Amino acid sequence: MSEDLERESMEYDVVIVGGGPAGLSAAIRLKQMAAKAGTDISVALLEKGSEVGAHILSGAVIDPKGLSELFPNWKEEGAPLETPVTKDRFKLLGPQGELSLPMWAMPPFMHNHGCYIASLANVTRWLAGKAEELGVEIYPGFAASDLVWNDDGSVKGVVVGVVGIGKDGHQKPDYQPGMELHGKYVFIAEGVRGSLAKQLIAKFKLDEGKSPQKYGIGVKELWQVLPEKHQPGLAEHTTGWPLDSKTGGGSFMYHFGDNYVAIGYVVHLNYKNPWLSPFDEFQRFKQHPTVRPHLEGGKRIAYGARAITEGGYQSVPKLTFPGGALIGCSAGFVNVPRIKGSHNAVKTGMLAAEAAFEAVQAGRASDELTAYQVAYEASWVAKELKIVRNAKPLLGKFGTALGGAFGMFDMWCAHLFGGFSFFGTLKHDKTDAASTGLAKDYQPIVYPKPDGVISFDKLSSVFLSATNHEEDQPAHLRLKDPSIPIAVNLPKYGEPARLYCPAGVYEVLYNEQGTDPRFQINAQNCVHCKTCDIKDPSQNIVWTTPEGGGGPNYPNM
């Protein structure tokens, strides 16, 4: 798109891209500080989903630590943290049986008592209401598709609301060039592997000297189960089967609310076997004789999938750039052993807001918010991530059993001795894409056919996500080189995109003779999980933002 294209613009003190916990908390904190100081600060928040919460997917057991700092009286104000955790279980699964691991053997921060089972999507909807009460301007259905730059190279703002470009790249009758939203500071809160965050990290070398970021793919379903099977407050996690000992991952199952069971599976994307399908591993997991009884007689009511940042402490990039900051999962603050990140997203949003408020009050604009970086390094977020920093690398190096044991030992030491580790700080040695093995070195996996009762196929699952995109628009999943899927990925890796994608977006199709393969992208199915952008072994797939409002419409995920 032409850089000299004339667009209308709107000016704000702070522009926030993303309506998740980090972006909303930053917006709220800015307005809270302005009210306390008796002044005003203008804040715009952009959400690419059709509404705030439409693209939010998490387990979720929520640690209220961050929320309690933002709203000390959140209970009285009606925050939808529905069900306190009352039963905490961690199990090792085998093909037919299970072994309960003693919770007392785990460091205290691994326990979920004091946390709440909830829909993170509904928590963000509640936060959006609070933000609007304080005067934040929220624009749902507006995708930030590009950055705007000042003459000195600092970030000036973002381009939003570009619509009406056809598949052929030509302008349709309803074409709108979009608007520019300019801010003295721009916060990037896109979540995992955001397209603008990718640009900024590359341009400003924010990951220089850091380990590569690591990821997992989380696949989740929401069930409404029979009342006699409902165990409100149960938080159960498993590792082991159906994954082998060299493939990291595990399940979660949370009972909460109106006979709801949130159940899902996370597969670490550094897996080697290109024939593996995380979606199908999840469907197989639900058939385990100790899992299936929770769901039998119930009804699956929602489905979704999302990548998760897993690199942790050593993969967090530099947080600031000229004109803005990375907050929440755009930087990657998930605590992998705890399977939690929303509390850290809330806190980092608040820290960035506090730095930006002071800068705006001092008359500054478009410089680096170095106070945010300093505040993060001194915060409980950094301390928490440092304690668990070696858990993920140890799993990758030694496998589930031995790596898990070493990791538990290391976390106990770090917990007891102020972050000390006998291992120091272990690095992640390569990206998840580079971890993919060759197809010839692994046996293809034959997955059981879904029974339509407990296990399901991808397309019926995507239907439950209410995913939709304007069909006549350029595909937002772009290939750097269209020849690579068939010429390189198919012979070398079996074209794993058709397997790692949890939404049936990618297919390899053949003619009637079973020859002449071609690669097909069903962009309409995309649930915006970003796994393809992360795991493609040739790094040939680039995820970009489609028109605003496109994608899943999660009701209470």
Side-chain angles (χ1 to χ4, degrees):
M1 190 168 292
S2 173
E3 291 186 3
D4 56 6
L5 182 66
E6 286 292 325
R7 297 187 183 92
E8 293 182 20
S9 64
M10 296 173 67
E11 306 291 327
Y12 293 89
D13 291 317
V14 180
V15 173
I16 301 172
V17 180
L24 287 162
S25 298
I28 289 166
R29 188 72 181 128
L30 284 161
K31 287 294 190 177
Q32 285 176 337
M33 294 185 74
K36 187 174 180 181
T39 183
D40 190 29
I41 188 165
S42 57
V43 182
L45 183 144
L46 304 162
E47 168 53 50
K48 68 180 172 66
S50 60
E51 62 168 350
V52 170
H55 291 178
I56 298 293
L57 182 144
S58 181
V61 169
I62 296 173
D63 183 340
K65 187 174 184 178
L67 191 61
S68 294
E69 291 189 16
L70 189 64
F71 289 109
N73 57 339
W74 57 263
K75 284 185 182 178
E76 291 76 15
E77 296 202 35
L81 298 189
E82 297 186 35
T83 307
V85 175
T86 54
K87 299 176 200 166
D88 215 355
R89 296 180 191 156
F90 194 91
K91 296 179 178 180
L92 180 63
L93 289 191
Q96 292 297 320
E98 63 180 18
L99 175 65
S100 288
L101 302 179
M103 293 303 297
W104 56 260
M106 299 183 184
F109 58 78
M110 292 286 286
H111 296 218
N112 285 305
H113 290 286
C115 298
Y116 292 80
I117 304 171
S119 157
L120 189 62
N122 288 339
V123 172
T124 59
R125 291 182 178 100
W126 179 81
L127 285 170
K130 291 294 179 186
E132 287 182 321
E133 287 174 13
L134 292 166
V136 176
E137 295 181 30
I138 297 179
Y139 298 101
F142 279 79
S145 54
D146 210 348
L147 294 159
V148 184
W149 305 92
N150 288 307
D151 291 340
D152 64 1
S154 61
V155 174
K156 182 178 186 178
V158 292
V159 177
V160 299
V162 179
V163 295
I165 299 175
K167 275 185 179 179
D168 58 3
H170 289 92
Q171 297 172 7
K172 297 188 291 186
D174 63 345
Y175 170 72
Q176 296 288 335
M179 292 185 64
E180 293 183 6
L181 267 58
H182 299 163
K184 294 171 183 171
Y185 299 99
V186 176
F187 289 174
I188 303 299
E190 297 171 298
V192 180
R193 194 76 165 194
S195 50
L196 299 186
K198 267 183 71 178
Q199 289 182 50
L200 290 162
I201 290 168
K203 179 179 175 65
F204 293 110
K205 299 180 180 176
L206 303 181
D207 56 354
E208 199 167 56
K210 304 289 185 176
S211 281
Q213 187 58 267
K214 306 293 281 184
Y215 300 90
I217 171 66
V219 185
K220 176 185 173 181
E221 294 173 352
L222 185 67
W223 285 67
Q224 200 154 34
V225 301
L226 297 173
E228 60 267 26
K229 296 196 172 190
H230 194 230
Q231 303 176 54
L234 171 62
E236 182 174 296
H237 299 92
T238 75
T239 189
W241 189 90
L243 300 178
D244 63 33
S245 62
K246 295 180 181 178
T247 305
S251 77
F252 60 86
M253 179 169 58
Y254 308 139
H255 288 241
F256 73 111
D258 183 17
N259 296 324
Y260 291 137
V261 170
I263 186 167
Y265 210 87
V266 176
V267 176
H268 302 329
L269 286 174
N270 61 355
Y271 66 82
K272 295 181 172 61
N273 186 346
W275 302 106
L276 186 144
S277 163
F279 174 90
D280 291 297
E281 295 293 342
F282 172 44
Q283 300 306 317
R284 184 156 64 161
F285 157 77
K286 288 184 294 173
Q287 297 286 8
H288 192 275
T290 67
V291 178
R292 183 181 174 111
H294 287 268
L295 306 176
E296 282 180 318
K299 183 182 180 183
R300 188 177 71 143
I301 56 177
Y303 167 84
R306 192 75 176 92
I308 304 161
T309 48
E310 293 187 343
Y313 184 76
Q314 52 272 64
S315 297
V316 173
K318 181 184 175 187
L319 301 177
T320 63
F321 49 85
L326 303 175
I327 60 178
C329 280
S330 286
F333 298 114
V334 170
N335 182 323
V336 173
R338 291 191 73 200
I339 324 176
K340 290 176 182 60
S342 60
H343 62 304
N344 290 339
V346 168
K347 181 63 173 177
T348 56
M350 293 171 66
L351 293 175
E354 288 159 7
F357 181 79
E358 296 300 332
V360 171
Q361 291 302 105
R364 290 161 44 201
S366 301
D367 60 349
E368 291 217 26
L369 294 169
T370 53
Y372 167 42
Q373 182 77 42
V374 171
Y376 158 71
E377 290 169 2
S379 71
W380 49 257
V381 177
K383 182 180 178 182
E384 178 180 313
L385 294 181
K386 188 175 183 182
I387 286 173
V388 303
R389 66 193 183 277
N390 291 326
K392 169 85 175 178
L394 287 167
L395 278 174
K397 192 174 182 66
F398 295 107
T400 301
L402 195 56
F406 280 148
M408 199 62 68
F409 168 76
D410 187 66
M411 288 189 292
W412 264 115
C413 290
H415 170 68
L416 293 172
F417 306 120
F420 168 79
S421 169
F422 289 103
F423 298 104
T425 298
L426 298 173
K427 302 294 186 186
H428 305 298
D429 58 354
K430 54 187 172 182
T431 66
D432 293 329
S435 300
T436 312
L438 298 176
K440 67 180 178 63
D441 295 332
Y442 296 87
Q443 286 295 318
I445 302 172
V446 180
Y447 289 104
K449 288 187 177 179
D451 61 16
V453 178
I454 299 296
S455 55
F456 303 90
D457 62 20
K458 286 182 181 178
L459 293 185
S460 66
S461 300
V462 172
F463 178 79
L464 282 183
S465 72
T467 295
N468 189 50
H469 295 87
E470 166 59 45
E471 291 198 31
D472 189 14
Q473 64 174 307
H476 65 280
L477 302 158
R478 299 176 186 171
L479 302 178
K480 296 177 186 175
D481 180 346
S483 72
I484 281 179
I486 300 303
V488 178
N489 282 359
L490 187 59
K492 283 186 73 173
Y493 307 103
E495 186 42 270
R498 62 198 174 85
L499 294 167
Y500 59 61
C501 173
V505 169
Y506 302 101
E507 292 181 283
V508 176
L509 302 176
Y510 296 85
N511 63 19
E512 290 180 1
Q513 289 74 41
T515 59
D516 193 24
R518 64 183 178 89
F519 191 62
Q520 179 163 299
I521 300 176
N522 306 309
Q524 179 77 354
N525 290 1
C526 179
V527 294
H528 298 198
C529 75
K530 317 285 181 70
T531 305
C532 54
D533 196 293
I534 297 162
K535 186 61 176 171
D536 175 27
S538 298
Q539 285 296 276
N540 187 50
I541 300 173
V542 180
W543 194 98
T544 62
T545 52
E547 286 188 7
N553 285 279
Y554 296 136
N556 47 2
M557 296 286 269

